[in-house]
Amino acid sequence: EEQLVESGGGLVQPGGSLRLSCAASGFTFSLHAMSWVRQAPGKGLEWVADIGSGGGVTRYADAVKGRFTISRDDAKNTLYLQLNSLKTEDTALYYCGIGWELSARRRGQGTQVTVSS
């Protein structure tokens, strides 16, 4: 059974940083592209970033390009998202998923990121 457990969210001031983690199990993590998506209060799901198997390909939504960095550690079956220069509009529930963009399969509860002064 595929399982994803997101962690690392929290309350941070504008301009601050967080590092999100996604622990994967139940499938061969290294063989799959992985994504981060988010859902802000009252809004639909938004794709944030994804990374190919092996980590050679990374892609970002325009809204986060230059501020967020996606990475993976296949030895630890873990996906990461480094969030820098956070803005209030980054406030959302962040999910990791198996696959690309919004078609990625979500299996976790997400981790809440709140950016507020």
Side-chain angles (χ1 to χ4, degrees):
E1 178 186 0
E2 297 174 341
Q3 292 190 354
L4 299 171
V5 179
E6 301 94 342
S7 63
L11 173 63
V12 63
Q13 292 186 341
S17 297
L18 285 172
R19 189 194 196 200
L20 308 184
S21 298
C22 168
S25 61
F27 64 102
T28 308
F29 178 77
S30 62
L31 297 182
H32 290 267
M34 298 291 295
S35 297
W36 285 98
V37 299
R38 67 187 181 184
Q39 187 162 26
K43 296 189 177 182
L45 207 59
E46 177 188 19
W47 169 71
V48 174
D50 48 32
I51 185 168
S53 61
V57 175
T58 56
R59 304 187 305 170
Y60 298 90
D62 287 344
V64 308
K65 199 172 295 182
R67 300 188 297 120
F68 292 6
T69 302
I70 189 170
S71 62
R72 63 190 299 160
D73 185 337
D74 288 347
K76 295 182 178 180
N77 287 349
T78 302
L79 178 72
Y80 301 100
L81 187 68
Q82 178 69 41
L83 289 65
N84 295 330
S85 302
L86 281 161
K87 305 176 180 180
T88 55
E89 53 262 44
D90 294 318
T91 294
L93 189 59
Y94 284 70
Y95 299 93
C96 59
I98 306 166
W100 297 101
E101 297 185 1
L102 291 180
S103 67
R105 303 189 297 278
R106 291 177 290 130
R107 295 288 183 263
Q109 299 300 311
T111 186
Q112 178 67 40
V113 172
T114 302
V115 184
S116 176
S117 55

